[in-house]
Amino acid sequence: MEKAVRYNPNMPSPGYDRADYQALINSNISPALAGNKGMRFDSAEDASVFFARELDYIKSRSYDKLYPEFNALSHFPITHEVPEGAETTTYYSYERVGMAEVISSYATDLPRADVNGEPTTAMIRSIGASYGYSVQDMRASRFAGKSLDVRRAEAARYAIDRTINAIAWAGDKKHKLMGMLSDDNNIPLYTLKVNASGKTAWADKSASEIMDDINGMFQFQARLTQDVERADTLALSSSSYIDISTRQVPNTGLTVMKFILENAPYLKEIIPCAELGANNTETNPYGQDVALLYTNSAEKFSLEIPMAFYQYPLQNRNLEVIVPCEARAAGIILYYPLSALIAVGI
């Protein structure tokens, strides 16, 4: 018979969340587990400590998980400047005004230069999910000598990240949150050139025609901003990215993507984003493959997340424990709309 492991809840640095431990102590779950002779717990306190440590491990695994699947969370600047208790945040979109003139040595009427700021108020919304374990889950994990299933916590994290990612791309009109592809964000739309077949899709264009489109986007942005804005990142739908990263430019030995990176002004990076595909209705409201040209800097725009993914102490509900999870997001905060450009139909 395996000797029971005894835990002392008064030991310093127990390595578990005390709130979880206390919630288990106050519930009827730990006594029920400890009362089962097959569980090998000396007391309800021992059972509470064991499962509090289990939950602490699960929470750590879930919290430390990075963002491998959501491109807004991977490739957009993320800020946490707004306090998590705020309901709204106001930011300003700026425009430089004024001209300098040649003056005389004793001039007193110097031309005035200034910055005009237009205020915009963004809402901040809570995004929630939860996960939990039944008493039987706990019995089974202890009986089999295995840890509780971490995948439930990761599923809650995934659900919250997915919602934030969708907001960052398409916004949420119902809750007044703006995304990079929202129709109310003032980002200019660039009209792609049609080729001899009347097509705009890059799959139907030659390498030189694709290069003409990209140069046209930069020229359009330069005209709009008098060459102030110089975007450095081009996000493409996955199909377009695969096409240009594998297709060869005739007689050069270069792929179309490498040719573009070597010849397009200011462009530093081309990234694939499944969110920009025509069939991804959750993140792309245009119904066609989209290209997004933008400056990857928090000075131009950011995805504002006042409160990152947070897991509350567990709650006892009948024969299970629930862990509520929450994040707070304000969507895209766009300080300089002309620093980005959208092209539909690539």
Side-chain angles (χ1 to χ4, degrees):
M1 189 71 153
E2 180 185 343
K3 184 179 179 181
V5 179
R6 189 171 187 83
Y7 297 103
N8 184 352
N10 297 316
M11 288 286 288
S13 302
Y16 59 84
D17 189 326
R18 294 289 300 186
D20 288 340
Y21 165 75
Q22 196 60 48
L24 284 164
I25 282 289
N26 294 337
S27 73
N28 62 352
I29 292 177
S30 295
L33 292 170
N36 186 334
K37 294 181 180 180
M39 296 300 290
R40 301 173 185 161
F41 289 117
D42 289 343
S43 66
E45 286 80 7
D46 293 341
S48 296
V49 169
F50 179 83
F51 287 110
R53 285 177 172 163
E54 282 280 284
L55 288 170
D56 189 64
Y57 166 75
I58 289 168
K59 286 183 174 183
S60 297
R61 279 282 305 271
S62 176
Y63 186 80
D64 293 341
K65 190 174 179 65
L66 299 178
Y67 311 102
E69 301 174 9
F70 304 116
N71 287 295
L73 298 172
S74 300
H75 296 294
F76 288 173
I78 296 177
T79 54
H80 309 280
E81 298 173 356
V82 180
E84 60 189 37
E87 296 290 342
T88 63
T89 179
T90 298
Y91 62 97
Y92 288 80
S93 297
Y94 293 102
E95 178 185 11
R96 299 181 182 92
V97 296
M99 296 288 290
E101 297 177 0
V102 177
I103 61 174
S104 65
S105 299
Y106 302 99
T108 58
D109 55 344
L110 296 178
R112 187 66 176 264
D114 206 342
V115 175
N116 288 340
E118 181 180 347
T120 302
T121 298
M123 306 298 294
I124 301 170
R125 303 296 188 184
S126 290
I127 301 163
S130 66
Y131 63 94
Y133 302 94
S134 68
V135 175
Q136 179 56 31
D137 292 331
M138 295 182 179
R139 290 193 193 104
S141 71
R142 183 61 172 167
F143 176 77
K146 296 181 179 179
S147 296
L148 292 170
D149 190 355
V150 180
R151 289 174 292 185
R152 297 183 187 181
E154 292 177 348
R157 178 66 186 268
Y158 179 92
I160 287 178
D161 288 349
R162 177 175 177 174
T163 299
I164 294 176
N165 183 69
I167 291 170
W169 286 104
D172 186 330
K173 282 190 175 181
K174 179 180 178 181
H175 297 102
K176 300 180 181 179
L177 299 173
M178 188 172 70
M180 287 300 284
L181 302 183
S182 297
D183 57 9
D184 57 350
N185 60 16
N186 296 322
I187 293 179
L189 288 173
Y190 176 73
T191 303
L192 295 166
K193 298 176 182 178
V194 297
N195 62 8
S197 303
K199 304 289 184 62
T200 63
W202 286 3
D204 300 314
K205 289 185 174 182
S206 65
S208 61
E209 289 172 331
I210 294 173
M211 191 68 203
D212 287 343
D213 278 340
I214 293 174
N215 283 336
M217 294 171 72
F218 277 106
Q219 291 166 1
F220 184 59
Q221 186 180 58
R223 286 197 302 271
L224 289 176
T225 66
Q226 297 185 13
D227 209 24
V228 171
E229 297 293 350
R230 297 177 177 181
D232 56 23
T233 304
L234 179 63
L236 303 175
S237 61
S238 298
S239 58
S240 298
Y241 180 87
I242 293 171
D243 177 29
I244 67 169
S245 62
T246 56
R247 199 197 314 179
Q248 298 283 321
V249 180
N251 304 318
T252 65
L254 300 175
T255 63
V256 175
M257 184 170 71
K258 188 170 184 180
F259 180 78
I260 291 169
L261 286 170
E262 290 183 358
N263 292 277
Y266 322 127
L267 192 60
K268 296 179 181 178
E269 187 178 19
I270 300 176
I271 58 175
C273 294
E275 294 89 344
L276 295 175
N279 59 346
N280 200 331
T281 57
E282 183 180 58
T283 55
N284 180 1
Y286 289 101
Q288 302 180 66
D289 282 11
V290 170
L292 175 67
L293 183 68
Y294 66 95
T295 303
N296 195 357
S297 168
E299 294 183 357
K300 303 298 184 181
F301 79 101
S302 69
L303 172 56
E304 177 61 32
I305 303 179
M307 186 175 82
F309 179 74
Y310 180 76
Q311 302 179 83
Y312 289 94
L314 69 88
Q315 298 177 3
N316 174 34
R317 297 182 188 173
N318 298 323
L319 294 178
E320 65 176 345
V321 293
I322 303 295
V323 179
C325 305
E326 184 189 12
R328 286 178 63 77
I332 293 295
I333 305 296
L334 194 59
Y335 305 108
Y336 294 95
L338 300 185
S339 65
L341 202 63
I342 297 171
V344 179
I346 63 167

